[in-house]
Amino acid sequence: FGVAEFAGAIQEKYGYDVSNLRFQLDNHGGTRVVQMRLPEKLRLQIIREIDWMKKLEGEIDEFLSSIEAGGSAYYNPLSLQFNNAILFTPSGFEFYKKNLDIITQLMPELGGVVLNAFVVPANESSYGAHNARSWAVGLSGSVCNSRPEASPTCMFAAEQRSLHTALEDVTYGHQPLIVFEDADAEVPSQAYMDKRLDHFYRQQKNKDGRRTLRALRASRYILLYPALVDQSVFLSAAQFSFARYIEVKYCSLPWPVPGMYWKLQSGQALFFNNYVPHGDSTLPKSSRPRYTIDLRMLSKDQYTSN
């Protein structure tokens, strides 16, 4: 399933070409540590709620498997720790209220806040490198949640910042969040990435290049026809192109693009740009879980004149 077919099918369905669609955003000074208000009683209550939520997620996952729905509840529309965390972590709203002045000071043009409350379990790896983006960037129709000068087909906020708050002390041996500070803050469309990946891997002319091209074609087909597969396959297809994209973009450079981590005390937050690649699944596993509450702040929506 080629890039031209993918872009052509999108253009036929939505009325515009997305093969050159990529939004470059500013990092505005990079990551810094912010001290949040987190009383001990509230901290322990949030951890208890995350543990309960994680257990419930496991039961949902078992149910999906029992009816052969496949996949995992951990990072999809049934996710409790991410998409629906505010419904299952009521103490997270209390945390938000206690820190509202900090939030509005850091982002004066605040349009909304999304709560994530999650745990990286002991002896497991954290999620690999990713950024905040929709796989469907460029498929959004007429509503634009970005700067007026940007395309009216952007489907994301112009600014998305996180207050990624540690609920326990975090060091290198405790699965810290990695942020690739020197990487671009960007939101590339699927077709934009695939167009560049196709060109790169066609130049390889070897077995690995041909194998990757086949995998990219399969992932495009899944993204265009998501009803054909379960959630885990769909999410893998969505992440596969981005993982290859950042590999091709950065790993072949003659200089390193290092990942950075910060030692955090409980109640300290990393304030960073969610459009910058972050996360690393290659760190040493920890013997204890890492609990995090994350306030994702989005800038105000802006809409087209009609």
Side-chain angles (χ1 to χ4, degrees):
F1 199 70
V3 172
E5 293 170 276
F6 181 72
I10 293 170
Q11 186 163 2
E12 181 179 347
K13 187 172 183 180
Y14 294 96
Y16 54 88
D17 179 18
V18 297
S19 60
N20 294 311
L21 189 62
R22 170 185 175 271
F23 293 97
Q24 176 78 49
L25 302 117
D26 296 323
N27 198 9
H28 294 311
T31 303
R32 63 182 185 270
V33 176
V34 175
Q35 183 63 54
M36 307 294 284
R37 298 186 188 93
L38 183 63
E40 180 66 6
K41 184 177 179 181
L42 180 61
R43 182 186 75 86
L44 294 174
Q45 181 59 29
I46 293 172
I47 289 175
R48 283 192 292 267
E49 290 171 2
I50 291 174
D51 282 337
W52 174 81
M53 185 167 53
K54 179 74 172 174
K55 181 181 178 182
L56 181 57
E57 248 188 5
E59 293 176 1
I60 292 173
D61 198 41
E62 288 181 14
F63 172 73
L64 292 176
S65 299
S66 72
I67 61 172
E68 299 183 349
S72 169
Y74 298 152
Y75 209 79
N76 65 40
L78 296 177
S79 165
L80 308 187
Q81 299 182 85
F82 299 96
N83 301 19
N84 303 302
I86 190 61
L87 303 176
F88 295 87
T89 318
S91 297
F93 184 63
E94 185 67 25
F95 175 71
Y96 157 78
K97 290 192 295 182
K98 284 185 177 295
N99 292 279
L100 186 55
D101 61 327
I102 297 174
I103 293 168
T104 52
Q105 182 181 2
L106 290 170
M107 187 173 280
E109 294 296 311
L110 183 70
V113 177
V114 176
L115 175 75
N116 291 344
F118 59 94
V119 58
V120 178
N123 301 312
E124 292 189 19
S125 297
S126 59
Y127 199 71
H130 61 286
N131 71 349
R133 64 182 185 91
S134 169
W135 74 270
V137 162
L139 313 185
S140 56
S142 61
V143 175
C144 178
N145 299 338
S146 189
R147 296 183 295 268
E149 65 268 26
S151 164
T153 53
C154 43
M155 200 180 174
F156 59 91
E159 297 285 337
Q160 186 179 147
R161 307 277 167 174
S162 265
L163 283 166
H164 194 274
T165 309
L167 294 172
E168 295 179 325
D169 292 354
V170 176
T171 64
Y172 178 75
H174 194 204
Q175 290 283 329
L177 177 69
I178 302 295
V179 181
F180 296 90
E181 287 282 272
D182 295 334
D184 288 337
E186 62 174 329
V187 185
S189 72
Q190 188 70 37
Y192 176 93
M193 293 188 293
D194 284 354
K195 188 175 181 180
R196 281 139 190 83
L197 290 171
D198 255 37
H199 175 75
F200 177 84
Y201 285 109
R202 286 185 190 281
Q203 305 302 310
Q204 301 302 298
K205 301 185 184 303
N206 56 36
K207 186 176 180 180
D208 286 342
R210 292 191 295 272
R211 183 185 295 119
T212 302
L213 283 171
R214 286 196 298 270
L216 287 167
R217 293 188 186 106
S219 69
R220 288 179 206 128
Y221 192 81
I222 290 169
L223 293 176
L224 201 60
Y225 302 104
L228 296 176
V229 297
D230 64 43
Q231 283 283 341
S232 63
V233 176
F234 175 79
L235 290 169
S236 296
Q239 184 64 7
F240 178 73
S241 294
F242 183 70
R244 287 296 189 185
Y245 174 73
I246 59 175
E247 178 186 41
V248 166
K249 182 171 181 175
Y250 296 112
C251 294
S252 59
L253 293 175
W255 58 85
V257 181
M260 300 177 65
Y261 78 95
W262 288 256
K263 292 182 179 180
L264 298 177
Q265 296 176 349
S266 174
Q268 289 184 323
L270 284 184
F271 177 61
F272 74 97
N273 189 334
N274 254 310
Y275 294 139
V276 171
H278 53 277
D280 190 343
S281 60
T282 68
L283 296 174
K285 295 178 181 178
S286 174
S287 59
R288 62 188 178 100
R290 170 169 69 83
Y291 292 91
T292 302
I293 186 164
D294 182 12
L295 299 173
R296 291 193 174 195
M297 304 174 291
L298 295 89
S299 55
K300 287 182 179 178
D301 292 344
Q302 297 171 358
Y303 300 94
T304 52
S305 58
N306 60 356

